[in-house]
């Protein structure tokens, strides 16, 4: 299959060999699980249980609410200890509503929904509903509710379901292992999703540094002519949706559009496997494979981890720390988030827990920009990090916005390459946050302005109407009055609009 | 607001970094320059070694002084090797037997004026080494064009240590040894009405020039070793091919075209390519990060501009060599070139508007 080049990119030290040959192991059920109501992009789920309730494994304990949201299920059987605020696995460490579940050690399944007998004749809604019901979100890290992405088939004519097995982040091997150990489950899930989406073709893209996965997946797919397994070049960030689509189809997704507008929907391989479980067995998403690695971890491994397991329990399962880590990261080293502490739960989007040493991070004192241009060369989005950063440093956010800082997806390539160790991504994250806030302020301000203006107009018109009425009393200006009075009427309508 | 940047500094990635650093980059450039430098110091003997030491030493001392004045950490900043590199490149562009004060004054102009008055490393618009050299050339044209023929260390007739001290620190330039550089010679002859075809026949043949056995500054001789150093930098990915190739292409093409039109008036493209500081300029001077454009497209325009200007100055201006002037002129244009050669953002056209959605079968 002909591949197309993507812009920029880097070749970091992958360090995947530490866990790539380690078969997935299930960790013993922790005594207590912490299931946050929001583990995904969108609105938090609505709690269905209360303190003291007994639940069984797979039972829905929080329901999705609003258009973009995902349900949560009990990862094991036990008793609800509390529904309370617990630190979230986010750099801020801010508390989040979380269901605390005490395991009863039995790990008893609840009555699960019936398997969908023949998913390939089922209509798309049946499948989408099942995916939504099973709380499945994108497992590559973005954690976008999968059912919503599956609904795209309804609105758009789609051509390709692209399975993302690139796993371009260093260290991470969870997708690699899942592909090597459960190829048939992935393929089955992919075929079900392709059916729901209405895509005639499935392409499975895997970076060429995973030859075994490519081999195994190719073999598993050989029975299905609509599936192609493609080895893509090892180039970070190949796993970015838009870039992967470009590598496979040669087409560039326009800004502010979705890859689906080009007829391509991208799903992570592990997500696909979760869909297989949901459709074939009625099993919701209650555990995931997490790569635990980094120089500070004693026994790096790929661990099947119940959702809600505390990072500290997971780390302990992997032998604890050999040395003190400089940072513990949720996700890969390039785009992952630093954890504020180990007392936060593993969530559906947690692909890796990395305990990194200072040498691995290789951070250093920031020095002046020497204009080497490396950041410009490597930016996969065609941006000029050096120029955006200099605007942001002077607090000229508009200038940075004009250069496209909002298009930056914080892939980290520019920071990685900068010889002066300038924290470019930090600048861009800051600018994006501040610009979003400004935007929100502005639209609020606009609303207030419209309101004030319409009020002024209304008052003016009322005054005018009054004058007109007064004038109408004078027989001399009879003909002017009705017109004025009529004009005064639309004013309230304007105000209504402003309030809407 | 800048405080809010600081507060998130430790909160986002990446948690990995390439192994490169400013220090490593500069050090690699020094490494790439080393073979040519050593060979040429050998070729021009003790006086050259002394001038080289004085020039580099002054640059480092002045850098330290400027940093201290600006209240910046001296030790950390000196560790980036940038002052050494400036001094080194500048020493390579001076006549090897020039007196010590040339090196010191050039260092003052390069480091204090061209670099620190702009705000230090990364802030300067003009290449410091070339500013230093050019100010000296304009101020002291006689001293700055006093070339000598090679006098390899320990060879017969080469100045000993004592003679060298007299030459470098005493200003006793022996008359007998002076020689013209090839570019200078051809130019002077042309001004006397002697066609280029004839005068070139008298300069060492191209092969000798390539190997470096000829008069000139340290960096002008020995094109082969400079070229090897440049290729090493490309191999190490410190520089890309864009600037060197476009500089050389510009010089060569202009030379070749005009030579084809009037061989008696214009030297050949090959002559321009291997003579003077073309290679040094193309690989080591025009490629200076700080003073060249950051985008590849910009670098091509910049390099081509340098190449064409080098040829123009050599051919029509009063000076036989034009690398320094050409690079400085293009340095001044680099910020504008940068502004007009920004890459196109993913999913947008060159104006920054979202690309249209073309319906086509993927
Ligand atoms: S973090 Fe943003 S600016 Fe930097 S390379 Fe990635 S997309 Fe480009
Ligand atoms: S990589 Fe760093 S030093 Fe190089 S131009 Fe970009 S910001 Fe400047």
């Amino acid at each position: 299959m002909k591949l197309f080049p993507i812009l920029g990119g880097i070749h970091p030290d992958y360090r995947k060999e530490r866990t790539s040959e380690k078969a997935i192991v299930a960790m013993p059920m922790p005594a207590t699980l912490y299931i946050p109501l929001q583990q995904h992009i969108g609105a938090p789920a609505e709690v269905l249980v209360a303190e003291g309730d007994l639940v069984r494994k797979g039972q829905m304990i929080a329901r999705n609410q609003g258009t973009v949201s995902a349900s949560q299920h009990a990862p094991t059987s036990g008793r609800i200890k509390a529904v309370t605020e617990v630190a979230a696995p986010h750099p801020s460490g801010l508390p989040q509503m979380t269901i605390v579940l005490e395991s009863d050690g039995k790990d008893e399944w609840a009555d699960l929904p019936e398997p969908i007998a023949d998913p390939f004749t089922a209509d798309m809604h049946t499948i989408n509903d099942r995916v939504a019901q099973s709380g499945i979100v994108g497992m590559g890290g973005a954690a976008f509710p999968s059912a919503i992405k599956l609904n795209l088939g309804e609105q758009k004519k789609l051509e390709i379901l692209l399975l993302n097995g690139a796993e371009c982040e260093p260290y991470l091997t969870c997708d690699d292992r899942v592909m090597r150990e459960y190829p048939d489950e992935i393929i089955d899930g992919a075929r079900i999703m392709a059916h729901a989406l209405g895509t005639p073709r499935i392409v499975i893209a895997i970076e060429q540094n995973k030859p075994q996965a490519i081999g195994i997946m190719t073999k598993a797919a050989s029975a299905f002519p609509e599936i192609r397994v493609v080895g893509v070049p090892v180039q970070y960030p190949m796993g970015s949706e838009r870039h992967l689509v470009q590598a496979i189809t040669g087409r560039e997704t326009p800004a502010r559009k979705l890859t689906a507008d080009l007829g391509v929907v991208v799903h992570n391989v592990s997500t696909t496997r979760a869909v297989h479980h949901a459709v074939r067995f009625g099993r919701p998403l209650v555990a995931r494979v997490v790569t635990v690695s980094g120089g500070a971890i004693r026994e790096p491994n790929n661990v099947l981890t119940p959702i809600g397991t505390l990072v500290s329990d997971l780390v302990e399962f992997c032998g604890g720390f050999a040395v003190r880590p400089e940072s513990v990261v949720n996700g890969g080293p390039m785009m992952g988030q630093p954890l504020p502490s180990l007392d936060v739960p593993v969530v559906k989007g947690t692909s890796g827990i990395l305990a990194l040493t200072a040498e691995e991070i290789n951070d250093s004192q920031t020095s002046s920009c020497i204009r080497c241009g490396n950041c410009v060369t490597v930016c996969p989005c065609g941006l000029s990090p050096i120029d955006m950063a200099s605007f942001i440093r002077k607090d000229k956010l508009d200038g940075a916005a004009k250069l496209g800082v909002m298009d930056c997806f914080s892939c980290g390539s520019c920071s990685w390459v900068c010889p002066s160790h300038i924290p470019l991504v930090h600048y861009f994250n800051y600018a994006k946050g501040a610009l979003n806030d400004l935007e929100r302020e502005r639209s609020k301000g606009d609303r207030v302005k419209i309101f004030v203006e319409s009020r002024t107009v209304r008052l003016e018109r009322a005054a005018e109407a009054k004058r007109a009425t007064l004038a109408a009393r004078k027989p001399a200006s009879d003909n002017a009055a009705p017109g004025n009075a009529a004009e005064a009427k639309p004013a309230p309508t304007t105000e209504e609009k402003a309030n809407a | 607001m800048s405080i809010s940047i600081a507060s998130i500094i430790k909160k986002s990635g990446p948690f990995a970094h390439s192994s490169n650093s400013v220090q490593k980059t500069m050090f690699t450039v020094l490494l790439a320059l080393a073979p040519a430098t050593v060979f040429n110091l050998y070729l021009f003997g003790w006086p050259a070694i002394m001038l080289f030491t004085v020039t580099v030493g002054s640059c480092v001392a002045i850098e330290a002084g400027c940093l201290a004045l600006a209240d910046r950490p001296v030790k950390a900043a000196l560790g980036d090797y940038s002052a050494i590199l400036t001094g080194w490149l500048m020493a390579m562009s001076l006549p090897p037997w020039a007196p010590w004060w040339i090196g010191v004054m050039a260092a003052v102009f390069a480091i204090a004026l061209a670099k620190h008055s702009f705000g230090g490393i990364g802030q300067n618009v003009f290449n410091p080494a070339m500013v230093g050299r050019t100010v000296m050339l304009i101020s002291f044209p006689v001293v700055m064009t006093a070339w000598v023929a090679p006098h390899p260390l320990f060879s017969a007739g080469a100045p000993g240590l004592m003679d060298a001290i007299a030459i470098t620190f005493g200003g006793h330039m022996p008359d007998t040894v002076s020689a013209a550089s090839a570019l200078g010679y051809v130019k002077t002859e042309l001004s006397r009405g002697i066609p280029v075809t004839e005068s070139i026949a008298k300069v060492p043949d191209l092969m000798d020039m390539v190997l470096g056995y000829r008069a000139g500054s340290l960096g002008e001789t020995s094109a082969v070793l400079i070229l090897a150093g440049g290729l090493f930098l490309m191999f190490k990915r410190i520089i890309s091919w864009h600037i060197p190739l476009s500089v050389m292409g510009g010089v060569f093409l202009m030379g070749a075209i005009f030579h084809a039109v009037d061989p008696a008036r214009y030297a050949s493209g090959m002559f321009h390519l291997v003579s003077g500081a073309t290679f040094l300029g193309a690989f080591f001077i025009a490629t200076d990060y700080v003073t060249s454009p950051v985008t590849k497209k910009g670098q091509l325009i910049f390099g081509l501009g340098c190449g064409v200007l080098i040829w123009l100055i050599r051919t029509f201006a009063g000076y036989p060599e034009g690398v320094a002037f050409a690079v400085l002129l293009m340095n001044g244009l680099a910020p504008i070139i940068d502004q007009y050669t920004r890459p196109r953002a993913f999913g947008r056209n060159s104006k920054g508007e979202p690309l249209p959605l073309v319906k086509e079968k993927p």
Side-chain angles (χ1 to χ4, degrees):
Chain A
M1 188 168 170
K2 182 177 163 6
L3 290 175
F4 300 86
I6 65 166
L7 198 66
I10 56 170
H11 296 93
D13 281 342
Y14 284 95
R15 300 178 181 148
K16 287 180 189 270
E17 67 291 342
R18 298 177 187 184
T19 50
S20 59
E21 301 314 314
K22 298 254 170 85
I24 299 168
V25 289
M27 74 176 278
M29 189 59 67
T32 315
L33 294 169
Y34 298 82
I35 304 116
L37 295 181
Q38 185 181 18
Q39 306 183 24
H40 46 263
I41 294 177
E46 180 194 356
V47 193
L48 299 178
V49 290
E51 194 183 324
D53 286 2
L54 295 179
V55 295
R56 283 191 293 161
K57 184 174 184 173
Q59 180 181 333
M60 190 183 286
I61 51 176
R63 189 195 310 279
N64 59 329
Q65 56 174 354
T67 31
V68 182
S69 184
S71 306
Q72 319 296 351
H73 301 76
T76 188
S77 56
R79 196 180 65 91
I80 303 295
K81 195 175 164 195
V83 179
T84 180
E85 295 206 309
V86 171
H90 181 269
S92 67
L94 288 178
Q96 217 217 110
M97 280 311 277
T98 301
I99 300 172
V100 185
L101 171 61
E102 239 169 12
S103 162
D104 60 9
K106 293 190 208 129
D107 206 28
E108 251 176 339
W109 281 96
D111 300 325
L112 297 175
E114 281 300 305
I116 298 176
D118 185 0
F120 300 110
T121 53
D123 78 308
M124 59 181 292
H125 295 292
T126 317
I127 291 168
N128 291 1
D129 288 349
R130 174 59 59 87
V131 170
Q133 208 180 14
S134 307
I136 299 174
V137 302
M139 291 168 77
F144 188 79
S146 303
I148 295 163
K149 243 170 146 181
L150 274 183
N151 276 333
L152 286 169
E154 210 168 41
Q155 307 145 22
K156 299 187 160 78
K157 174 100 190 68
L158 301 174
E159 280 294 324
I160 298 178
L161 166 63
L162 180 54
L163 286 205
N164 190 345
E167 202 166 52
C168 61
E169 276 270 10
Y171 295 88
L172 301 187
T173 55
C174 52
D175 287 347
D176 184 14
R177 287 314 308 187
V178 169
M179 287 190 283
R180 285 205 234 172
E181 296 181 38
Y182 304 101
D184 297 325
E185 300 189 7
I186 294 173
I187 301 261
D188 184 62
R191 291 180 62 233
I192 295 170
M193 290 167 93
H195 167 69
L197 286 163
T199 56
R201 293 167 59 199
I202 299 172
V203 176
I204 304 176
I206 305 169
E207 269 195 358
Q208 280 153 357
N209 56 4
K210 292 179 265 297
Q212 290 98 329
I214 296 177
I216 291 169
M217 291 300 290
T218 309
K219 198 157 151 252
S222 58
F224 307 103
E226 75 273 24
I227 306 182
R228 285 293 293 266
V229 177
V230 183
V232 290
V234 182
Q235 179 183 0
Y236 180 87
M238 185 53 86
S240 137
E241 270 192 24
R242 286 158 189 259
H243 293 89
L244 196 60
V245 167
Q246 188 178 32
I248 298 292
T249 68
R251 299 185 62 195
E252 197 173 321
T253 312
R256 290 198 233 125
K257 293 273 187 244
L258 302 171
T259 60
D261 291 308
L262 301 181
V264 188
V265 175
V266 186
H267 280 284
N268 171 271
V269 285
S270 294
T271 314
T272 314
R273 183 172 170 238
V275 170
H276 162 84
H277 288 158
V279 170
R280 297 288 187 182
F281 308 104
R283 261 189 259 152
L285 179 56
V286 290
R288 68 156 298 148
V289 181
V290 179
T291 299
V292 184
S293 188
I297 291 282
R298 207 180 295 271
E299 297 156 21
N301 219 334
N302 299 297
V303 185
L304 179 65
T305 314
I307 302 299
T309 302
L310 286 186
V311 170
S312 51
D313 289 340
L314 181 56
V315 167
E316 200 167 306
F317 176 69
C318 294
F321 295 134
V323 293
R324 212 188 86 83
E326 176 76 12
S327 289
V328 179
V329 179
N330 175 6
M334 296 303 296
M335 291 183 74
Q337 302 272 353
L339 289 179
S341 87
L342 297 182
D343 298 324
V344 294
V346 166
V347 292
K348 294 172 182 174
T350 306
S351 46
I353 293 292
L354 306 178
L356 302 170
T357 62
E359 297 88 77
E360 290 177 287
I361 299 173
N362 187 24
D363 203 3
S364 179
Q365 193 72 42
T366 298
S367 53
S368 306
C369 167
I370 54 167
R371 290 180 40 85
C372 67
N374 285 348
C375 54
V376 183
T377 311
V378 301
C379 178
C381 292
L383 304 173
S384 294
I386 171 181
D387 298 329
M388 299 195 299
S390 77
F391 273 121
I392 296 166
R393 223 175 279 129
K394 291 181 214 134
D395 215 14
K396 291 188 178 150
L397 294 183
D398 285 352
K402 237 181 238 140
L403 291 183
V405 74
M406 295 309 273
D407 286 4
C408 160
F409 70 109
S410 303
C411 73
S413 301
C414 51
S415 290
W416 181 86
V417 81
C418 177
S420 299
H421 286 263
I422 298 173
L424 295 160
V425 179
H426 303 294
Y427 284 1
F428 306 149
N429 286 346
Y430 158 76
K432 284 188 279 184
L435 283 165
N436 274 333
D437 289 350
L438 275 179
E439 184 53 40
R440 224 168 291 137
E441 280 298 308
R442 202 172 294 149
S443 52
K444 209 198 286 167
D446 282 352
R447 237 175 294 144
V448 171
K449 211 164 97 197
I450 294 170
F451 181 74
V452 170
E453 270 170 11
S454 64
R455 185 180 147 84
T456 322
V457 171
R458 187 166 46 102
L459 290 179
E460 270 171 17
R461 288 198 172 156
E464 215 168 286
K466 208 169 174 186
R467 249 178 280 130
T469 334
L470 284 178
R473 291 211 186 120
K474 294 180 190 166
S477 49
D478 251 350
N479 38 1
N484 276 343
E487 261 175 34
K489 263 185 199 151
T493 333
T494 326
E495 193 191 339
E496 269 165 33
K497 238 189 243 157
N499 284 338
Chain B
M1 284 283 223
S2 49
I3 296 160
S4 23
I5 298 180
S7 66
I8 64 157
I9 283 281
K10 276 285 153 204
K11 288 187 186 158
S12 47
F15 296 88
H17 196 278
S18 63
S19 59
N20 66 344
S21 64
V22 177
Q23 188 180 5
K24 234 182 183 167
T25 305
M26 300 284 176
F27 186 76
T28 314
V29 180
L30 294 182
L31 213 62
L33 276 173
T37 312
V38 170
F39 176 69
N40 283 300
L41 288 178
Y42 157 78
L43 218 54
F44 292 101
W46 287 111
I49 295 173
M50 284 175 185
L51 179 70
F52 184 82
T53 315
V54 166
T55 311
V56 174
S58 316
C59 281
V60 173
I62 294 164
E63 170 100 350
C66 288
L67 287 167
L69 273 181
D71 240 352
R72 309 230 302 243
V74 174
K75 233 171 143 187
L78 277 186
D80 67 20
Y81 299 131
S82 68
I84 299 181
L85 180 57
T86 299
W88 192 314
L89 280 172
M90 197 159 59
M92 294 193 76
S93 72
L94 300 174
W97 287 17
W100 65 276
W101 51 266
I102 287 276
V104 174
M105 280 180 73
V108 171
F109 283 106
I111 302 288
L113 182 84
K115 186 174 176 185
H116 281 280
S117 72
F118 281 87
I121 186 168
Q123 308 289 311
N124 49 298
V125 174
F126 299 101
N127 186 319
M130 292 303 103
V131 170
R133 178 201 140 90
T134 304
V135 173
M136 288 298 109
L137 180 61
I138 294 171
S139 318
F140 309 100
V142 179
V143 187
M144 284 294 288
T145 49
W147 308 110
V148 293
H151 285 70
L153 267 183
F154 315 122
S155 66
L161 200 53
M162 278 321 187
D163 309 323
I165 292 176
I167 292 171
T168 309
F169 296 98
H172 296 296
M173 178 76 150
D175 290 337
T176 47
V177 296
S178 73
S181 68
L183 282 169
Y185 177 72
V186 171
K187 189 150 206 162
T188 334
E189 294 296 275
L190 189 66
S191 65
R192 296 198 299 140
I194 301 193
V196 172
T197 21
E198 242 169 73
S199 58
I200 277 193
K202 293 203 190 100
V203 303
D205 68 43
L206 284 186
M207 206 49 213
D208 264 0
M209 288 176 61
V210 168
L211 290 176
Y213 209 81
R214 53 165 155 142
S217 68
L218 295 183
E220 289 182 15
T221 56
S222 184
V224 163
L225 289 176
I226 293 285
L227 185 67
L231 293 178
F232 170 72
L233 285 188
M234 269 159 72
F235 170 73
K236 282 281 183 188
R237 292 176 184 267
I238 300 288
I239 59 172
S240 64
W241 56 268
H242 301 79
I243 292 182
L245 204 73
S246 53
V247 172
M248 296 188 299
V251 174
F252 180 81
L253 280 181
M254 292 305 280
I257 292 168
F258 279 81
H259 183 69
V261 172
D262 185 356
R265 167 73 181 83
Y266 303 103
S268 73
M270 207 55 201
F271 177 80
H272 276 289
L273 199 59
V274 299
S275 59
T278 309
F279 283 174
L280 185 75
F283 285 99
F284 289 94
I285 293 171
T287 52
D288 172 42
Y289 286 154
V290 176
T291 55
S292 64
V294 293
T295 64
K296 300 293 173 235
K297 212 201 300 173
Q299 290 174 359
L300 285 177
I301 298 171
F302 175 86
L304 211 60
C306 286
V308 170
L309 282 173
I310 290 172
W311 180 84
L312 279 174
I313 294 167
R314 280 181 185 173
T315 312
F316 299 110
Y319 295 96
E321 178 51 306
V323 170
F325 288 112
V327 169
L328 288 175
L329 284 170
M330 290 311 290
N331 285 163
L333 291 178
I336 300 168
I337 296 177
D338 259 340
Q339 245 181 56
Y340 286 97
T341 54
R342 285 220 180 91
R344 179 181 69 82
F346 189 98
R348 294 181 182 273
N349 64 17
S350 48
K351 285 197 209 101
E353 297 151 350
L355 290 178
L357 193 64
V358 248
K359 282 276 173 225
E360 119 190 19
K361 245 178 115 101

